[in-house]
Amino acid sequence: MRSRQIESGLVCAPMLEGASWEAVIGLEVHAQLLTRSKLFCACDVTFGAPPNTHVCPTCLGLPGALPTLNAEAVRMAVKAALALGGEVQEKSRFARKNYFYPDLPKGYQISQYDEPFCKGGAVTITLPPAHEGGEPCTKVARLTRIHMEEDAGKNLHDFGGGSVVDLNRAGTPLIEIVGEPDLRSAKEATEYLRALRDELVFLGINDGNLEEGSLRCDVNVSIRRAGDSTLGTRVELKNINSFRFVEKAIASEIERQKDVLETGGRVVAETRGWDEKTGTTYSLRSKETAQDYRYFPEPDLPLLVLEDAFVDRVHAEVGESPRDKRARFVQELGLTAQAASVLTQHPRIAAFFEEAATLFGDTIKVANFIQSEVLRDVTTQGLKAKFAISATQLAKILDLVRSGEISGKQAKELYAKVKWTDGDPRATMSELGMSQVIDPKAIEQVCAKVIADHPKQAADLKAGKKQLFGFFVGQIMKATKGSANPELVNAMLERLLGTTK
Ligand code: ADP
Ligand code: ZN
Ligand code: MG
């Protein structure tokens, strides 16, 4: 199969408190593909343009205008499918999903229905140990399918005193990733969403922005008696735009359903929203009578045929998954799981770390310095990231520490001086007269003077008052404005005072 290997793993199903109920959760995730133009026309997809400035007869749904499929969108969709281990279908079909809404001028959305371009796949998640000292648990949550579809427009209210329908977004390419109801807790669901977002962002096909809606998720929640094999009635939670809210909304919805069932009621199939103020979900609309979209094959588009050669080419573009990258950072580069996770929070941060690590060699020193200094200045926007220094400058700073020319503390000061400039760290170090005193003669002179200036403390230290060692180190650092090499200072003091630290 042309896909990344789906690793099988332990399936852990945490039961609800009291173990009498089990939550069942399945996510439908819509991801905007980062193409330049729309799915069926050449209009620009730039976010934030004045309303209705990126529209044409096709995305306005004018009579007689015909759709033309965007090849770049197909390439990105296939890339996602392969990375998620799905089976890309040689033949798939677009279909019309008919409904009426002001933001849908054609009266239908072009989507895929019973012949999606991808079936199956999975998202692997790792959950923290269930109890202290336990093993983290890996779970493989299966995907039902992935299909391509166009986005609808947007109704803007309170716009210039009225409401407008903005069709800039109409026709934006999306993939919908439909998950099986394999998730069993709010935590599992958020981890799933996080893993999925990471995957898409590292593929470079989505910017992972829940707040701006370029990644959207509908959460289906039901509960059942632990041990039951049939599914309970599900409620769909819509329009939740942050990881924190997703987790809170699911947890609250599980509790609500438990209360309903325990007081003899029944869960109604409906769509609910999340109210952050009250911390509860509220009913948006009933789903008891399923809406009939009267799907039918899109007559204006031919069957989509994805040839093996094309799929193979796209497959070659699928790089290392963020999950594999994290594992490699730990196993091969010696990082802690925590550091690996911090350094893979964004693809550009991971790339920066890898570049600097290759240049400098000592991966742990690079990882530490990036975490303590560089990340404080990094700004990310979508798939872009801005760094205050280059990987080359970083490696040069660390080189100066390795050669003993500056101390670790001075490296941080040097970073602060070099950042946002294209300055050479060594030149900046010299300009600032920063270089560390590594000449043993010079250090011996300072040590001898400090000892001579503090005869009482020296005597006490020699008599066994070891805590005074730190006092002498402090005095020497003060006398040298922090530039003395600490190892040399320690060694010299030990020698001159005839004592150990
Ligand atoms: P729709 O398009 O109406 O939302 P789907 O059949 O496509 O319906 O189901 C969508 C999602 O609902 C899937 O992610 C699936 O995992 C989830 N789901 C289905 N049944 C249940 C259930 N009983 N409890 C929780 N989630 C469910
Ligand atoms: Zn258009
Ligand atoms: Mg749904």
Side-chain angles (χ1 to χ4, degrees), residues 283-323:
S283 181
L284 283 168
R285 58 185 172 270
S286 165
K287 252 201 164 183
E288 288 287 68
T289 48
Q291 198 172 356
D292 185 356
Y293 293 113
R294 301 194 174 238
Y295 279 99
F296 64 83
E298 166 59 66
D300 290 339
L301 286 166
L303 197 68
L304 175 62
V305 178
L306 300 171
E307 287 170 353
D308 278 354
F310 169 76
V311 179
D312 285 342
R313 258 200 325 277
V314 178
H315 194 226
E317 291 171 20
V318 176
E320 183 180 36
S321 79
R323 196 183 158 76

Side-chain angles (χ1 to χ4, degrees), residues 37-60:
S37 54
K38 294 185 181 180
L39 188 54
F40 299 116
C41 62
C43 290
D44 210 309
V45 287
T46 334
F47 182 80
N52 302 310
T53 52
H54 293 303
V55 291
C56 74
T58 298
C59 56
L60 284 173

Side-chain angles (χ1 to χ4, degrees), residues 209-434:
N209 196 329
L210 269 96
E211 286 76 12
E212 281 178 12
S214 42
L215 190 67
R216 279 171 256 161
C217 108
D218 298 341
V219 186
N220 298 276
V221 182
S222 66
I223 64 170
R224 63 182 172 190
R225 286 284 172 191
D228 271 6
S229 55
T230 51
L231 295 173
T233 304
R234 78 177 143 122
V235 161
E236 187 176 43
L237 305 176
K238 265 204 187 306
N239 304 329
I240 318 173
N241 63 357
S242 82
F243 283 97
R244 206 161 54 86
F245 293 172
V246 166
E247 187 165 347
K248 282 165 61 171
I250 296 173
S252 144
E253 178 58 21
I254 292 171
E255 285 309 307
R256 190 192 66 84
Q257 293 186 13
K258 242 178 12 171
D259 280 351
V260 168
L261 294 179
E262 282 176 354
T263 52
R266 84 186 168 92
V267 173
V268 179
E270 61 185 350
T271 301
R272 297 177 74 90
W274 167 246
D275 183 344
E276 172 56 16
K277 281 198 206 77
T278 60
T280 54
T281 63
Y282 61 95
S283 181
L284 283 168
R285 58 185 172 270
S286 165
K287 252 201 164 183
E288 288 287 68
T289 48
Q291 198 172 356
D292 185 356
Y293 293 113
R294 301 194 174 238
Y295 279 99
F296 64 83
E298 166 59 66
D300 290 339
L301 286 166
L303 197 68
L304 175 62
V305 178
L306 300 171
E307 287 170 353
D308 278 354
F310 169 76
V311 179
D312 285 342
R313 258 200 325 277
V314 178
H315 194 226
E317 291 171 20
V318 176
E320 183 180 36
S321 79
R323 196 183 158 76
D324 290 348
K325 203 180 267 300
R326 227 165 278 140
R328 181 169 58 81
F329 283 4
V330 172
Q331 282 151 23
E332 289 173 28
L333 305 185
L335 305 195
T336 61
Q338 164 71 16
S341 144
V342 170
L343 294 173
T344 51
Q345 65 188 278
H346 190 279
R348 299 270 287 107
I349 291 173
F352 181 91
F353 162 68
E354 293 200 71
E355 190 188 343
T358 306
L359 288 168
F360 183 66
D362 185 333
T363 53
I364 294 170
K365 290 226 158 68
V366 172
N368 288 345
F369 200 86
I370 292 177
Q371 288 180 93
S372 73
E373 309 304 309
V374 181
L375 284 186
R376 282 196 281 176
D377 296 309
V378 171
T379 51
T380 60
Q381 198 197 18
L383 294 186
K384 297 196 199 106
K386 253 209 197 107
F387 293 84
I389 62 167
S390 68
T392 312
Q393 286 172 310
L394 170 59
K396 284 185 175 169
I397 291 176
L398 293 175
D399 269 335
L400 294 171
V401 179
R402 178 153 55 194
S403 62
E405 289 165 89
I406 60 173
S407 66
K409 185 162 162 284
Q410 287 175 314
K412 294 178 178 185
E413 290 163 24
L414 187 54
Y415 167 77
K417 292 289 177 199
V418 169
K419 74 182 186 185
W420 304 119
T421 75
D422 51 12
D424 174 54
R426 177 176 291 282
T428 309
M429 173 192 80
S430 306
E431 274 162 34
L432 296 168
M434 198 180 240

Side-chain angles (χ1 to χ4, degrees), residues 464-497:
K465 216 171 162 196
K466 293 242 171 173
Q467 60 271 41
L468 282 169
F469 198 90
F471 164 80
F472 280 101
V473 173
Q475 291 298 314
I476 288 154
M477 286 304 175
K478 206 166 136 197
T480 59
K481 298 199 178 64
S483 69
N485 177 295
E487 284 91 56
L488 287 176
V489 169
N490 282 332
M492 191 60 71
L493 279 175
E494 286 180 7
R495 194 160 71 74
L496 294 178
L497 292 164

